[in-house]
Amino acid sequence: MQYPDSISQIKERAANIRLRMNHLADLAGVPPSTAHAKTPDGRERDVRSSTLRKLAEAQVQEELRLRDYLLTLHPIRNEETAA
């Protein structure tokens, strides 16, 4: 399993599955301001490694949940058994 190692990667992957950072923060049990990781002047701030790990784990769990949901809707069939 591949975990993101920066807040930028987490934000990008979250955007790819339309997961809002506020919701991700809620899933990870951290404040929304921590998940956004912005300084007052708009630059990205450093996030503690433990917080980054919580966000990454919550994101991966959401990705897996979404994957499993989609696979129930669109199962992958073996070509040999489909014929």
Side-chain angles (χ1 to χ4, degrees):
M1 193 169 307
Q2 183 180 6
Y3 286 94
D5 57 4
S6 73
I7 194 69
S8 297
Q9 289 177 341
I10 289 174
K11 288 179 178 182
E12 182 180 341
R13 284 174 60 170
N16 287 337
I17 61 169
R18 295 194 166 117
L19 176 61
R20 295 184 351 262
M21 291 306 289
N22 286 356
H23 185 62
L24 179 60
D26 187 44
L27 293 172
V30 301
S33 60
T34 302
H36 289 283
K38 296 254 182 188
T39 62
D41 63 0
R43 289 183 292 143
E44 193 172 274
R45 65 179 168 79
D46 288 333
V47 178
R48 293 175 70 173
S49 61
S50 60
T51 303
L52 194 61
R53 187 172 43 254
K54 286 179 187 177
L55 289 166
E57 288 174 358
Q59 180 181 17
V60 168
Q61 287 302 104
E62 186 62 14
E63 289 170 342
L64 293 173
R65 185 197 67 76
L66 184 58
R67 179 204 63 189
D68 292 345
Y69 171 72
L70 291 172
L71 283 173
T72 62
L73 294 176
H74 310 286
I76 298 172
R77 293 185 292 191
N78 186 340
E79 291 298 321
E80 291 176 11
T81 60

